[in-house]
Amino acid sequence: EVQLVESGGSVVRPGGSLRLSCVASGFIFDDYGMTWVRQAPGKGLEWVSTINWNGGSTSYADSVKGRFTISRDNAKKSLYLQMNSLRAEDTALYHCATFRIVGPTWRYYFDNWGQGTLVTVSS
Amino acid sequence: QSALTQPASVSGSPGQSITISCTGTSSDVGVYNHVSWYQSHPGNAPKLLIYEATNRPSGVSDRFSGSKSGNTASLTISGLQAEDEAHYYCCSYAGRTTWVFGGGTKVTVL
């Protein structure tokens, strides 16, 4: 059974930092790209960042570019999101999700999701 | 990276069919077939319903179907059931390994 378990969310002051983790099980981690998607309270889903299977390619939403860094450790089957210079508008439930990569071909949809970890940015 | 446009809410009676629209631009929905739909129940992880605009993953009910025309994609739920009450989100690939989601649609079963 595919499982994605996020952790690391907490209450942090504006300007602070936080590192989120997502541990995967039940599938071959190296076969998948990974992404972070967030949902602010009462709002919709927002794509945040994506990384390919080996970390060689990363991308970010404009709203977090320069502040967030995505990374992964395939040996630990883990995905990370380093969040710096946090703002109130970063308050959200952060989900990790998978997308399949088959050779050079990406599947551009997110087929497995975790339940999320809550980040609250407040003074 | 502007959000795709979805109606805030759609409702229907059990057994009816409803359709949720998702309007993007010529930079996302209009140029890529990489449109996906997700169902989100409170407290649960989002679930993939439709991928590549019209394809259904194994295990997803055939009551869910997707289509796309121009800059607009649509999700149709046929034979509406109480368990379909949830939020639904569309998502489109937007190029350069970026994605954009819709604002979400709350489906109410009357």
Side-chain angles (χ1 to χ4, degrees), chain A residues 35 37 39 43-47 50 57-63 95 99 106-111 113-115, chain B residues 1 34-36 38 40 43-48 50-52 89 91 93 96-104:
Chain A
T35 201
V37 174
Q39 184 169 21
K43 302 291 185 182
L45 299 175
E46 179 189 12
W47 171 77
T50 286
S57 172
T58 60
S59 54
Y60 300 90
D62 289 344
S63 57
H95 299 275
F99 63 95
W106 288 28
R107 303 278 166 85
Y108 295 96
Y109 51 90
F110 309 123
D111 45 7
W113 295 67
Q115 298 239 4
Chain B
Q1 295 177 348
H34 306 314
V35 175
S36 51
Y38 304 87
S40 177
N44 288 353
K47 174 187 175 183
L48 175 67
I50 297 289
Y51 65 95
E52 298 302 312
Y89 296 91
C91 179
Y93 182 65
R96 299 186 179 185
T97 59
T98 67
W99 282 260
V100 60
F101 280 90

Coordinates of all heavy atoms in Angstrom, one line a residue, chain A residues 35 37 39 43-47 50 57-63 95 99 106-111 113-115, chain B residues 1 34-36 38 40 43-48 50-52 89 91 93 96-104:
Chain A
T35 N 6.1 16.3 -5.4 CA 5.6 17.6 -5.4 C 5.0 18.0 -4.0 O 4.6 17.1 -3.2 CB 4.6 17.9 -6.5 OG1 4.5 19.2 -6.8 CG2 3.2 17.4 -6.1
V37 N 2.0 20.5 -2.4 CA 0.8 21.2 -2.7 C 0.3 21.7 -1.3 O 0.3 20.9 -0.4 CB -0.2 20.4 -3.4 CG1 -1.5 21.1 -3.6 CG2 0.3 19.9 -4.8
Q39 N -2.7 24.0 1.0 CA -4.1 24.4 1.1 C -4.3 25.4 2.3 O -4.2 24.9 3.4 CB -5.1 23.3 1.2 CG -6.6 23.7 1.1 CD -7.5 22.6 1.0 OE1 -7.2 21.4 1.2 NE2 -8.7 22.9 0.5
K43 N -9.3 27.9 1.7 CA -8.9 28.1 0.3 C -8.7 26.8 -0.4 O -8.8 25.7 0.1 CB -7.7 29.0 0.3 CG -7.7 30.3 1.1 CD -8.6 31.3 0.4 CE -8.6 32.6 1.1 NZ -9.5 33.6 0.5
G44 N -8.4 27.0 -1.7 CA -8.2 25.8 -2.6 C -6.8 25.3 -2.6 O -5.9 25.8 -1.8
L45 N -6.5 24.3 -3.4 CA -5.2 23.8 -3.5 C -4.3 24.7 -4.3 O -4.7 25.4 -5.2 CB -5.2 22.4 -4.2 CG -6.0 21.3 -3.5 CD1 -6.1 20.1 -4.4 CD2 -5.5 21.0 -2.1
E46 N -3.0 24.8 -3.9 CA -2.0 25.6 -4.6 C -0.7 24.8 -4.8 O -0.2 24.3 -3.8 CB -1.7 26.9 -3.8 CG -0.6 27.7 -4.5 CD -0.2 28.9 -3.6 OE1 -0.4 28.9 -2.4 OE2 0.5 29.8 -4.2
W47 N -0.3 24.6 -6.0 CA 0.9 23.9 -6.3 C 2.1 24.8 -5.8 O 2.1 26.0 -6.0 CB 1.1 23.7 -7.8 CG 2.5 23.2 -8.1 CD1 2.9 21.9 -8.0 CD2 3.6 24.0 -8.7 NE1 4.2 21.9 -8.4 CE2 4.7 23.1 -8.8 CE3 3.7 25.3 -9.0 CZ2 5.9 23.5 -9.3 CZ3 4.9 25.7 -9.5 CH2 6.0 24.8 -9.6
T50 N 8.1 21.2 -7.1 CA 8.2 19.9 -7.7 C 9.7 19.5 -7.8 O 10.6 20.4 -8.1 CB 7.5 19.8 -9.0 OG1 6.1 19.8 -8.8 CG2 7.9 18.6 -9.8
S57 N 16.2 18.3 -11.1 CA 15.3 19.3 -11.7 C 14.3 19.7 -10.6 O 13.7 18.8 -10.0 CB 14.6 18.7 -12.9 OG 13.6 19.6 -13.3
T58 N 14.3 21.0 -10.3 CA 13.3 21.5 -9.3 C 12.6 22.7 -9.9 O 13.1 23.4 -10.8 CB 14.0 21.9 -8.0 OG1 14.9 23.0 -8.3 CG2 14.7 20.7 -7.4
S59 N 11.4 23.0 -9.4 CA 10.6 24.1 -9.8 C 9.8 24.6 -8.7 O 9.5 23.9 -7.8 CB 9.7 23.8 -11.1 OG 8.9 22.7 -10.8
Y60 N 9.4 25.9 -8.7 CA 8.7 26.5 -7.6 C 7.7 27.5 -8.1 O 7.8 28.1 -9.2 CB 9.7 27.4 -6.8 CG 10.8 26.5 -6.2 CD1 12.0 26.4 -6.9 CD2 10.7 25.9 -5.0 CE1 13.1 25.6 -6.4 CE2 11.7 25.2 -4.4 CZ 12.9 25.0 -5.1 OH 13.9 24.2 -4.6
A61 N 6.6 27.6 -7.4 CA 5.6 28.7 -7.6 C 6.3 30.0 -7.3 O 7.1 30.1 -6.5 CB 4.4 28.5 -6.7
D62 N 5.8 31.0 -8.1 CA 6.4 32.4 -7.9 C 6.2 32.8 -6.4 O 7.1 33.6 -5.9 CB 5.6 33.4 -8.8 CG 6.0 33.2 -10.3 OD1 7.0 32.5 -10.6 OD2 5.3 33.7 -11.1
S63 N 5.2 32.4 -5.8 CA 4.9 32.9 -4.4 C 5.9 32.4 -3.4 O 6.0 32.9 -2.3 CB 3.5 32.4 -4.0 OG 3.4 31.0 -4.1
H95 N 0.7 19.3 1.7 CA 0.6 17.9 1.2 C 1.8 17.5 0.3 O 2.2 18.4 -0.5 CB -0.6 17.6 0.4 CG -1.9 17.8 1.0 ND1 -2.5 16.9 1.8 CD2 -2.8 18.9 1.0 CE1 -3.7 17.3 2.2 NE2 -3.8 18.6 1.8
F99 N 4.2 11.9 -8.7 CA 3.9 11.8 -10.1 C 4.9 10.8 -10.7 O 6.1 10.9 -10.4 CB 3.8 13.1 -10.8 CG 5.0 13.9 -10.9 CD1 5.9 13.8 -12.0 CD2 5.4 14.7 -9.8 CE1 7.1 14.6 -12.0 CE2 6.6 15.5 -9.9 CZ 7.4 15.4 -11.0
W106 N 7.3 12.3 -18.2 CA 6.7 12.6 -16.9 C 5.2 12.4 -17.1 O 4.6 12.7 -18.1 CB 6.9 14.1 -16.6 CG 8.3 14.4 -16.1 CD1 9.4 13.7 -16.5 CD2 8.7 15.4 -15.2 NE1 10.5 14.3 -15.9 CE2 10.1 15.4 -15.1 CE3 8.0 16.4 -14.5 CZ2 10.8 16.3 -14.3 CZ3 8.7 17.3 -13.7 CH2 10.1 17.2 -13.6
R107 N 4.6 11.9 -16.1 CA 3.1 11.8 -16.0 C 2.7 13.1 -15.2 O 3.0 13.2 -14.1 CB 2.6 10.5 -15.3 CG 3.2 9.3 -16.0 CD 2.3 8.9 -17.2 NE 3.0 7.9 -18.0 CZ 2.9 6.6 -17.8 NH1 2.3 6.1 -16.7 NH2 3.6 5.7 -18.6
Y108 N 1.9 13.9 -15.9 CA 1.7 15.3 -15.3 C 0.5 15.3 -14.4 O -0.3 16.3 -14.5 CB 1.6 16.3 -16.4 CG 2.9 16.4 -17.2 CD1 3.1 15.8 -18.4 CD2 3.9 17.3 -16.8 CE1 4.3 15.9 -19.1 CE2 5.1 17.5 -17.5 CZ 5.3 16.8 -18.6 OH 6.4 16.9 -19.3
Y109 N 0.3 14.3 -13.6 CA -0.8 14.3 -12.6 C -0.3 13.7 -11.3 O 0.7 12.9 -11.3 CB -2.0 13.6 -13.2 CG -1.7 12.2 -13.7 CD1 -1.7 11.1 -12.9 CD2 -1.4 12.1 -15.1 CE1 -1.5 9.8 -13.4 CE2 -1.1 10.8 -15.6 CZ -1.1 9.7 -14.8 OH -0.9 8.5 -15.3
F110 N -0.9 14.0 -10.2 CA -0.5 13.6 -8.9 C -1.3 12.4 -8.4 O -2.5 12.6 -8.1 CB -0.5 14.7 -8.0 CG 0.2 16.0 -8.5 CD1 -0.5 17.2 -8.7 CD2 1.5 15.9 -8.9 CE1 0.1 18.3 -9.2 CE2 2.1 17.0 -9.5 CZ 1.5 18.2 -9.6
D111 N -0.7 11.2 -8.4 CA -1.5 10.0 -8.2 C -1.6 9.5 -6.8 O -2.5 8.7 -6.4 CB -1.1 8.9 -9.1 CG 0.4 8.7 -9.2 OD1 1.1 9.4 -8.4 OD2 0.9 7.9 -10.0
W113 N -1.3 10.9 -2.6 CA -1.2 12.1 -1.7 C -1.1 11.7 -0.3 O -1.6 10.7 0.1 CB -2.4 13.0 -1.9 CG -2.7 13.6 -3.2 CD1 -3.0 13.0 -4.4 CD2 -2.7 15.0 -3.5 NE1 -3.1 13.9 -5.4 CE2 -3.0 15.1 -4.9 CE3 -2.5 16.1 -2.7 CZ2 -3.1 16.4 -5.5 CZ3 -2.6 17.4 -3.3 CH2 -2.8 17.5 -4.7
G114 N -0.4 12.5 0.5 CA -0.4 12.4 1.9 C -1.5 13.2 2.5 O -2.1 14.1 1.9
Q115 N -1.7 13.1 3.8 CA -2.8 13.8 4.5 C -2.4 15.2 4.9 O -3.3 16.0 5.1 CB -3.2 13.0 5.8 CG -3.7 11.7 5.5 CD -5.2 11.5 6.0 OE1 -5.8 12.4 6.5 NE2 -5.7 10.3 5.9
Chain B
Q1 N 1.0 32.5 -13.2 CA 0.5 31.4 -12.4 C -0.9 31.7 -11.8 O -1.1 31.6 -10.6 CB 1.5 30.9 -11.4 CG 2.8 30.4 -12.0 CD 3.8 30.0 -10.9 OE1 3.6 30.3 -9.7 NE2 4.8 29.3 -11.3
H34 N -2.8 17.9 -20.3 CA -2.4 17.4 -18.9 C -3.3 18.1 -17.9 O -2.9 18.8 -16.9 CB -1.0 17.7 -18.6 CG 0.0 17.2 -19.6 ND1 -0.1 16.0 -20.2 CD2 1.0 17.9 -20.3 CE1 0.9 15.8 -21.0 NE2 1.6 16.9 -21.1
V35 N -4.6 17.8 -18.0 CA -5.6 18.3 -17.0 C -6.0 17.1 -16.1 O -6.3 16.0 -16.6 CB -6.9 18.9 -17.7 CG1 -7.9 19.3 -16.6 CG2 -6.5 20.1 -18.5
S36 N -6.0 17.3 -14.8 CA -6.4 16.3 -13.9 C -7.4 16.9 -12.9 O -7.5 18.1 -12.8 CB -5.2 15.8 -13.1 OG -4.4 16.8 -12.6
Y38 N -9.3 16.2 -9.0 CA -9.1 15.6 -7.6 C -10.3 15.8 -6.8 O -11.0 16.9 -6.9 CB -7.9 16.2 -6.9 CG -6.6 16.1 -7.8 CD1 -6.3 17.0 -8.7 CD2 -5.8 14.9 -7.7 CE1 -5.2 16.9 -9.5 CE2 -4.7 14.8 -8.5 CZ -4.4 15.7 -9.4 OH -3.3 15.6 -10.2
S40 N -11.7 15.9 -2.8 CA -11.1 16.2 -1.5 C -12.3 16.2 -0.5 O -13.2 17.0 -0.5 CB -10.4 17.5 -1.5 OG -9.9 17.8 -0.2
G43 N -10.5 16.3 5.9 CA -9.7 15.4 6.7 C -9.0 14.3 6.0 O -8.2 13.6 6.5
N44 N -9.3 14.2 4.7 CA -8.7 13.1 3.9 C -7.7 13.7 2.9 O -7.8 14.9 2.5 CB -9.8 12.3 3.1 CG -10.6 11.5 4.1 OD1 -10.3 11.3 5.2 ND2 -11.6 10.8 3.5
A45 N -6.8 12.9 2.4 CA -5.9 13.3 1.3 C -6.7 13.4 0.0 O -7.6 12.6 -0.2 CB -4.8 12.3 1.2
P46 N -6.4 14.4 -0.8 CA -7.0 14.5 -2.1 C -6.9 13.2 -2.9 O -5.9 12.5 -2.7 CB -6.3 15.6 -2.8 CG -5.8 16.5 -1.7 CD -5.4 15.5 -0.6
K47 N -7.8 12.9 -3.8 CA -7.8 11.6 -4.5 C -7.9 11.9 -6.0 O -8.8 12.7 -6.4 CB -9.0 10.8 -4.1 CG -9.2 9.5 -5.0 CD -10.5 8.8 -4.6 CE -10.7 7.6 -5.5 NZ -12.0 6.9 -5.2
L48 N -7.0 11.3 -6.8 CA -7.0 11.5 -8.3 C -8.3 10.9 -8.9 O -8.5 9.7 -8.6 CB -5.8 10.9 -8.9 CG -5.7 11.0 -10.4 CD1 -5.6 12.4 -10.9 CD2 -4.5 10.1 -10.9
I50 N -9.5 12.0 -12.4 CA -9.3 12.0 -13.9 C -7.9 12.5 -14.2 O -7.4 13.4 -13.5 CB -10.3 13.0 -14.5 CG1 -11.8 12.5 -14.3 CG2 -10.0 13.2 -16.0 CD1 -12.1 11.2 -15.1
Y51 N -7.2 11.9 -15.2 CA -6.0 12.4 -15.6 C -6.0 12.5 -17.1 O -6.7 11.9 -17.8 CB -4.8 11.6 -15.1 CG -4.8 10.2 -15.7 CD1 -4.0 9.8 -16.8 CD2 -5.5 9.1 -15.1 CE1 -4.0 8.5 -17.3 CE2 -5.5 7.9 -15.6 CZ -4.8 7.6 -16.7 OH -4.7 6.3 -17.2
E52 N -5.1 13.4 -17.7 CA -5.0 13.6 -19.1 C -6.4 14.0 -19.7 O -6.8 13.5 -20.7 CB -4.4 12.4 -19.8 CG -2.9 12.2 -19.4 CD -2.0 13.3 -19.6 OE1 -2.0 14.0 -20.7 OE2 -1.3 13.7 -18.7
Y89 N -11.3 19.7 -7.4 CA -10.3 20.6 -7.9 C -9.8 20.1 -9.3 O -9.4 18.9 -9.4 CB -9.1 20.7 -7.0 CG -9.4 21.3 -5.6 CD1 -9.8 20.4 -4.6 CD2 -9.3 22.7 -5.4 CE1 -10.1 21.0 -3.3 CE2 -9.7 23.2 -4.1 CZ -10.0 22.3 -3.1 OH -10.3 22.8 -1.9
C91 N -6.7 20.7 -12.2 CA -5.3 21.1 -12.2 C -4.8 21.0 -13.6 O -5.1 20.0 -14.3 CB -4.5 20.2 -11.3 SG -2.8 20.5 -11.2
Y93 N -1.2 21.3 -16.1 CA 0.2 21.6 -16.3 C 0.3 22.9 -17.0 O -0.5 23.2 -17.9 CB 0.9 20.5 -17.2 CG 2.4 20.7 -17.4 CD1 3.2 20.6 -16.3 CD2 2.9 20.9 -18.7 CE1 4.6 20.8 -16.5 CE2 4.2 21.0 -18.9 CZ 5.1 21.0 -17.8 OH 6.4 21.2 -18.0
R96 N 7.1 24.4 -18.3 CA 8.3 24.6 -17.4 C 8.2 24.0 -16.1 O 8.6 24.6 -15.1 CB 8.6 26.1 -17.3 CG 8.9 26.7 -18.7 CD 9.4 28.2 -18.5 NE 9.6 28.8 -19.9 CZ 10.1 30.0 -20.0 NH1 10.4 30.7 -19.0 NH2 10.3 30.5 -21.3
T97 N 7.7 22.8 -16.0 CA 7.5 22.0 -14.8 C 6.8 22.8 -13.7 O 7.2 22.9 -12.5 CB 8.8 21.4 -14.2 OG1 9.7 22.5 -14.0 CG2 9.4 20.4 -15.2
T98 N 5.7 23.5 -14.1 CA 4.8 24.2 -13.2 C 3.4 23.7 -13.4 O 3.0 23.2 -14.5 CB 4.9 25.7 -13.3 OG1 4.3 26.1 -14.5 CG2 6.3 26.2 -13.2
W99 N 2.6 23.8 -12.4 CA 1.2 23.4 -12.4 C 0.4 24.5 -11.8 O 0.9 25.3 -11.0 CB 1.0 22.1 -11.6 CG 1.4 20.9 -12.3 CD1 0.7 19.9 -12.9 CD2 2.8 20.3 -12.3 NE1 1.4 18.9 -13.3 CE2 2.7 19.1 -13.0 CE3 4.0 20.8 -11.8 CZ2 3.8 18.3 -13.2 CZ3 5.1 20.0 -12.0 CH2 5.0 18.8 -12.7
V100 N -0.9 24.5 -12.2 CA -1.8 25.5 -11.6 C -3.2 24.7 -11.3 O -3.6 23.9 -12.1 CB -2.1 26.6 -12.6 CG1 -2.7 26.2 -13.9 CG2 -3.0 27.7 -11.9
F101 N -3.7 25.0 -10.1 CA -4.9 24.4 -9.7 C -6.1 25.4 -9.9 O -5.9 26.6 -9.9 CB -4.9 24.0 -8.2 CG -4.2 22.7 -7.9 CD1 -2.8 22.7 -7.7 CD2 -4.9 21.5 -7.9 CE1 -2.1 21.5 -7.4 CE2 -4.2 20.4 -7.6 CZ -2.8 20.4 -7.4
G102 N -7.3 24.8 -9.9 CA -8.5 25.7 -9.8 C -8.8 26.0 -8.4 O -8.2 25.4 -7.4
G103 N -9.7 27.0 -8.2 CA -10.0 27.4 -6.9 C -10.9 26.4 -6.1 O -11.1 26.5 -4.9
G104 N -11.4 25.4 -6.8 CA -12.2 24.4 -6.1 C -13.7 24.6 -6.2 O -14.1 25.7 -6.3

